[in-house]
Amino acid sequence: MNASAITGLRARRVWDSRGNPTVEVEVKTASGVSGRAIAPAGASRGTREALDLRDGGTGLQGMDVRRAVANVNDHIAPLLKDMDANDQAAVDAALIALDGTPLKSKLGGNAMVATSLAVLHAAAAAKAVPLWRHVADLTDETPTLPLPEIQIFGGGAHAGRRVDVQDFMVMVPGAASFDEVLEVTSEIYRAAGSLMKAKGHSVGVADEGGWWPVFDSNEQALETLVRAIEAAGETPGERVVISLDIAASEFGSKGRYRLALEERELDRDQIIDLLGRWIKDYPIASIEDPLAEDDIEGMTAFTREFGGKVQIIGDDYLVTNADLVAAAEKAGACNAVLIKVNQAGTVSESLACLAAAKAHNYRTIVSARSGETEDVSICHLAVGLNAGQLKVGSFTRSERMAKWNECLRIGDELGGAAFVAGKPLANTWWARQSEGYSK
Ligand code: PGA
Ligand code: ZN
């Protein structure tokens, strides 16, 4: 029997960083080694992404996953038995056919993504190579260590909607190494905490570990982030830039945007003007979901105006879907796509999205969800897919740090030259400006 043949597969219920139940799958191969993966969970979800199967009812606030676990053990395990874990495409095609629904609502996106990733791990283990190497083999990519986006303040659905904007992040494109990115970010994170304390605020953290956003306006958060970058000894816009996830679908639809914190409603043109002013006034090099997922007109107008200046990422807007990336390019909307494996539901569909992004010249950012675990698969995907960028939340809490630390380990295996540094921000104002200062 083939060493990578699947001999056993089982799911169990485990728990995520918000204390919610989730699905873990373990896959055994004929060679005796196994692979394991856990499904993450989003809070600000796109309407077109794969659905997690939750049990409903009153227990665990309806969030239990016993049906998804049973789907793996009763239906997926017999289907995949004796299949080759090395043939990810065939495994995922079998899962998709068994489910048969557009949003994976029958088996559950959570059941499917944990299975698909566990098979990927099992195949790497059977080949006795690191996961990133197996992923690079599958895609013929040259492995690279990504440029991180790291959250300093949380917001939106991750912080009780205390501010409207979901992520206030930093990127360190001017760093010479991944390690330097983390060191600079640690200084900024701590400086931001000191600024919050100095204002007399209590200093809790939001869902992804960023500081709890005790601000009177969205712009005050931006202002404080700039102060924190300065307090860490940096000149904003040089080695360090700002990245925002507006997650506008959370407060906008049908061309209207309700900023709850500031108690005002903006139309499409007004929110584009507001974000345009932020781009002018602050060193912002990347902006995600600036308009709502149903606002193609807004996204196109925004990209037309600012696409040559900043990276514009579609998350809820593109939901890791190859067809939506192709359609966005045709419409002239966004110039980058977030890759979340559980939005697509399987590894193969995520690879297809990545291939579409490369074909259409869209930048790619592999991303975690707000509900995470110790699972570090996405680090290996970001490296093996040569994605260029990685977003896993803030710089505290072990479900986040596990990912940054895993990248350091992979970096040691790859060697320093594998770090992409500021390359993903080529064709933005940062790249043009950085030519003028020496790193
Ligand atoms: P989510 O948010 O995981 O809660 O959906 C992450 C993001 O919007 O990037
Ligand atoms: Zn997002």
Side-chain angles (χ1 to χ4, degrees), residues 42-44 158 166 208 245 288 315 338 340 369-370 391:
S44 70
H158 302 161
Q166 184 179 284
E208 297 189 358
D245 183 359
E288 180 176 328
D315 171 16
L338 212 67
K340 290 170 164 168
R369 302 309 302 250
S370 50
K391 177 188 183 202

Side-chain angles (χ1 to χ4, degrees), residues 20 38 66 88-89 101 127 129 166 206 251 259 270 296 321 331 342 345 348 356 430:
N20 286 325
I38 308 176
R66 289 191 186 278
Q88 188 74 40
T101 69
K127 278 161 68 179
V129 298
Q166 184 179 284
F251 58 86
L259 295 176
Q270 288 168 320
I296 303 179
N321 181 302
N342 82 325
S348 297
W430 179 83

Side-chain angles (χ1 to χ4, degrees), residues 181-201:
V181 170
L182 300 189
E183 187 173 317
V184 170
T185 303
S186 175
E187 299 279 14
I188 296 168
Y189 185 84
R190 291 180 168 284
S194 301
L195 289 175
M196 300 302 274
K197 279 177 216 154
K199 283 203 293 180
H201 294 317

Side-chain angles (χ1 to χ4, degrees), residues 21 37 89 116 124 132 149 173 184 200 207 222 257 278 307 313 341 362 384 414 429 435:
S116 185
W132 59 263
E149 294 188 72
V184 170
D207 276 11
L222 262 173
Y257 295 86
W278 288 357
I313 309 171
V341 187
Y362 274 42
L414 285 172
W429 64 265
E435 286 159 17

Side-chain angles (χ1 to χ4, degrees), residues 370-416:
S370 50
E372 272 292 333
T373 66
E374 67 274 23
D375 189 296
V376 294
S377 309
I378 57 167
C379 304
H380 292 262
L381 286 171
V383 169
L385 296 172
N386 185 19
Q389 297 174 72
L390 178 65
K391 177 188 183 202
V392 311
S394 192
F395 206 65
T396 55
R397 301 182 30 148
S398 286
E399 82 278 6
R400 313 289 152 190
M401 303 318 290
K403 274 93 168 161
W404 303 130
N405 289 341
E406 184 73 357
C407 287
L408 290 172
R409 292 181 202 106
I410 300 172
D412 279 348
E413 293 177 64
L414 285 172

